[in-house]
């Protein structure tokens, strides 16, 4: 009798351990989108994850490591929020502003070298990986004369994240 109970309990445990992958699929047969939720305590970690990811890629290609610039971060944050308001990922602000104009507004005196944007539910490192797969956005990350980055995002209540990466260099006098 004790053996049967042990076998029954073991089988119940094993059944509970099996994963039902069909339950994680939507009606279109694709997996449901998981949500990457960002909290206030994640801000520094996420910015440094992106910086470290970019610098790892650049170092592997013998390019100069970059540093975070607070003015570029501010420009990136403003644009991320604005893309959410417009509900489209593009390089122009709702007021018609361009990336160089946004940098002037935050007092950045360096040169804009590029801007990458994304509308996604993915993490910062998944977004960086996607940028590295695209020749145009990869070129921004690998710009040889780059010295600084600004990186920020805006996350909507539903979890969608609007990412902005700005790459710049200080002006030479």
């Amino acid at each position: 009798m004790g053996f049967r109970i042990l076998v029954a309990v073991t089988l119940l445990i094993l059944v509970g351990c099996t994963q039902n992958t069909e339950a994680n699929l939507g009606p279109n047969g694709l997996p449901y989108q998981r949500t990457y939720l960002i909290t206030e305590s994640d801000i520094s970690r996420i910015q440094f994850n992106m910086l470290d990811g970019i610098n790892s890629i650049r170092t592997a290609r013998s390019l100069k490591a970059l540093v975070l610039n607070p003015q570029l971060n501010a420009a990136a944050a403003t644009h991320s929020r604005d893309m959410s308001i417009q509900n489209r990922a593009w390089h122009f602000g709702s007021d018609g502003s361009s990336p160089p104009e946004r940098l002037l507004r935050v007092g950045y005196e360096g040169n804009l070298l590029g801007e990458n944007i994304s509308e996604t539910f993915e993490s910062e490192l998944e977004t960086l990986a996607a940028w590295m797969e695209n020749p145009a956005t990869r070129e921004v990350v690998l710009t040889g004369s780059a010295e600084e980055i600004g990186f920020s995002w805006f996350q909507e209540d539903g979890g969608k994240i609007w990412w902005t990466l700005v790459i710049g260099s200080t002006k030479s006098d």
Side-chain angles (χ1 to χ4, degrees), residues 34-72:
R34 69 175 172 81
T35 303
Y36 179 68
L37 294 177
I38 300 172
T39 65
E40 280 292 316
S41 64
D42 295 326
I43 292 172
S44 292
R45 179 189 56 79
I46 289 172
Q47 284 185 319
F48 284 106
N49 278 350
M50 180 60 78
L51 179 65
D52 289 344
I54 288 172
N55 283 338
S56 293
I57 292 166
R58 290 178 60 86
T59 300
R61 290 170 170 79
S62 301
L63 295 169
K64 180 180 179 179
L66 308 178
V67 296
L68 281 170
N69 177 290
Q71 292 168 317
L72 294 178

Side-chain angles (χ1 to χ4, degrees), residues 70-141:
Q71 292 168 317
L72 294 178
N73 286 343
T78 299
H79 190 57
S80 292
R81 180 177 290 278
D82 192 43
M83 286 190 297
S84 171
I85 291 167
Q86 297 180 71
N87 196 33
R88 64 178 167 180
W90 75 322
H91 294 283
F92 294 94
S94 55
D95 61 356
S97 62
S98 66
E101 290 170 319
R102 288 193 296 276
L103 297 191
L104 286 174
R105 289 179 183 168
V106 297
Y108 185 69
E109 296 181 358
N111 297 312
L112 171 69
L113 300 177
E115 178 181 74
N116 285 347
I117 56 174
S118 183
E119 168 191 4
T120 184
F121 289 86
E122 296 178 326
S123 73
E124 66 279 5
L125 295 180
E126 290 169 313
T127 300
L128 176 58
W131 286 338
M132 293 307 294
E133 291 293 319
N134 178 297
T137 52
R138 178 176 54 241
E139 185 177 322
V140 171
V141 172

Side-chain angles (χ1 to χ4, degrees), residues 144-156:
S145 58
E147 297 175 301
E148 304 173 309
I149 69 166
F151 178 67
S152 196
W153 60 90
F154 178 77
Q155 185 166 41
E156 296 177 353

